[in-house]
Amino acid sequence: MTQFTTAQRALAAAAVVAKTPLALWRAPSATTFDALAAISAPRLVPVFGATPDPGFVIAPFRTENGNVALLFPADILIRAETLRFRVGNDWSDRPMTDAQAQLLSPVPSGPVQAAAGVQPVAGTPRTNYIARVERTVAAIREGPCEKIVVSRVETRTLSERYDLCDLVEALATAHPHAFIALATSAITGTWLVASPEVLLQLDGDTAHTMALAGTVWPGPDVDIDSFDWPDKIITEQALVSTYIREAFAAEGLIAVEETPARSVRAANLCHLQTDFRYVCADDRALAGLLRRLHPTSAVCGMPRIPALEFILREEGNTRGFYTGYLGPKDLDGATRLFVNLRSARVSGRQISLHVGGGIVAASDPEMEWHETVEKTKTIGQVLPEV
């Protein structure tokens, strides 16, 4: 079982009390958490193509430049049992400023909870979402888009004694192969994430992304390696793969390794996944690639611009950071960005689960509703009863 260390829990409690930016995360298949607290407010930075700036980044769905995100600076970083402090370009094993030292001071005991922020986004009734899917299918059949991803919100109430750290640990146990994260600040609000999807990673000199699309829920006893995928899902996943190939080519990255599409499990769901890797990618090319990938067609649609315009007309600005991206930046030589999927925003005792699905001309509105119901279970299964 993946659990926080005593120091990581103490840092989380102190950061929430002090209302400073906090990020907690566990990499897919890892057995330890990382914890980061920032003394200053998040600031906009280029993810690639600038001087290394260690921290945790989070970007919204709607952005003018996909390579720009909000950075939580790594002022205090706890990786497993290692505690580090940063000022300028230096790391230290002891506090370098009074503000860093104050965040290590004991705080009153009690659960770590999200501040009550703006009014939660209203939930989407079943009939409204089905009607949204029907309008989306009609738009695809009549217009330029081959695929449009639409979403909905389901709002629930948390118990009075819920603890964010407990929820993150429960997600890590329930979803060992997902990217598990909690990111909270006054600017972004509080986001709880169990994402199965890499947006873009740089480990050393190797860049990695994936096409993850199509969703079924065949049950735990089904052999997914021999699963007969519906044509609708094969088409949907192929569109995402094509978009990624074209993004690499547009940046002049041609020696790209691509795996065949394969079936993968993500909690109670199954998807089709294709991996793409490129060796010796430079920051300038990666910056261009990230701008092209975000928002990916897996969360927006194809072509991207008309799909995005349709989504904004249908949903307004309700997504916020849902279907954006987040992850550690420039930490120990790696930047790992994940799509903000299977996620929820927490405000006080209210939690808003964001779910959606890719719509194509052959989509069935009733089945699309059921797909979103299954997706709510990723986070919903760890929520304590009220």
Side-chain angles (χ1 to χ4, degrees):
M1 179 183 296
T2 307
Q3 294 183 315
F4 292 111
T5 65
T6 300
Q8 288 172 335
R9 275 191 173 261
L11 181 64
V16 168
V17 169
K19 299 181 180 179
T20 61
L22 170 73
L24 310 170
W25 71 95
R26 189 217 60 191
S29 302
T31 58
T32 59
F33 280 105
D34 295 319
L36 178 154
I39 303 302
S40 57
R43 65 179 189 273
L44 289 170
V45 300
V47 178
F48 296 108
T51 302
D53 208 347
F56 189 94
V57 291
I58 179 169
F61 167 67
R62 187 181 184 185
T63 178
E64 295 298 322
N65 183 343
N67 187 49
V68 173
L70 285 166
L71 174 77
F72 296 8
D75 293 316
I76 301 177
L77 179 66
I78 306 178
R79 313 199 85 169
E81 299 292 342
T82 302
L83 175 60
R84 292 188 286 174
F85 303 86
R86 187 173 178 88
V87 172
N89 295 323
D90 297 324
W91 289 101
S92 172
D93 60 1
R94 59 177 56 90
M96 304 281 282
T97 66
D98 290 341
Q100 289 175 337
Q102 289 172 3
L103 266 185
L104 298 180
S105 302
V107 298
S109 61
V112 177
Q113 297 188 345
V118 297
Q119 186 69 19
V121 176
T124 313
R126 174 180 172 277
T127 53
N128 290 24
Y129 186 71
I130 288 177
R132 175 172 291 168
V133 174
E134 289 172 344
R135 289 192 295 272
T136 307
V137 170
I140 291 170
R141 292 174 177 173
E142 297 171 2
C145 292
E146 298 176 86
K147 172 187 174 181
I148 303 173
V149 182
V150 292
S151 68
R152 70 176 181 90
V153 178
E154 183 172 311
T155 300
R156 303 183 188 180
T157 301
L158 295 167
S159 64
E160 292 184 359
R161 297 291 296 175
Y162 84 90
D163 189 294
L164 289 170
C165 290
D166 290 345
L167 293 180
V168 176
E169 286 184 341
L171 279 176
T173 299
H175 310 298
H177 304 300
F179 175 72
I180 306 299
L182 173 76
T184 180
S185 75
I187 294 176
T188 62
T190 300
W191 289 85
L192 188 63
V193 181
S195 177
E197 184 171 353
V198 171
L199 176 62
L200 186 59
Q201 294 186 347
L202 180 64
D203 284 296
D205 61 357
T206 301
H208 170 224
T209 187
M210 66 172 58
L212 186 76
T215 304
V216 293
W217 45 101
D221 298 328
V222 174
D223 179 10
I224 62 170
D225 291 331
S226 59
F227 186 76
D228 188 13
W229 288 88
D231 289 342
K232 177 259 182 186
I233 289 180
I234 293 173
T235 299
E236 182 183 346
Q237 203 272 346
L239 289 172
V240 178
S241 296
T242 297
Y243 184 84
I244 293 175
R245 290 188 205 103
E246 292 174 347
F248 273 102
E251 292 302 319
L253 308 177
I254 56 175
V256 180
E257 176 188 344
E258 177 181 345
T259 66
R262 69 183 191 279
S263 303
V264 295
R265 282 194 181 273
N268 58 311
L269 307 173
C270 292
H271 311 283
L272 282 173
Q273 177 177 318
T274 300
D275 291 286
F276 299 82
R277 286 182 172 83
Y278 181 80
V279 178
C280 298
D282 63 84
D283 274 1
R284 183 177 299 179
L286 287 172
L289 184 61
L290 183 54
R291 282 191 289 267
R292 294 181 185 278
L293 290 179
H294 176 66
T296 173
S297 59
V299 299
C300 183
M302 287 184 67
R304 181 164 70 176
I305 291 177
L308 177 60
E309 291 173 347
F310 180 89
I311 291 167
L312 294 176
R313 288 196 303 271
E314 273 291 330
E315 302 180 15
N317 291 316
T318 57
R319 291 195 185 190
F321 289 87
Y322 168 65
T323 59
Y325 64 81
L326 74 173
K329 173 187 181 299
D330 292 327
L331 290 178
D332 297 334
T335 294
R336 299 185 175 99
L337 308 177
F338 295 82
V339 182
N340 191 355
L341 290 175
R342 312 295 188 269
S343 59
R345 179 169 181 172
V346 187
S347 178
R349 289 183 58 200
Q350 298 301 307
I351 182 167
S352 299
L353 283 68
H354 290 255
V355 289
I359 311 303
V360 295
S363 292
D364 175 74
E366 188 70 36
M367 287 299 297
E368 296 297 335
W369 165 260
H370 286 298
E371 177 178 321
T372 64
V373 171
E374 292 297 321
K375 288 177 176 176
T376 64
K377 297 177 182 178
T378 299
I379 288 181
Q381 67 175 305
V382 306
L383 300 181
E385 294 185 5
V386 179

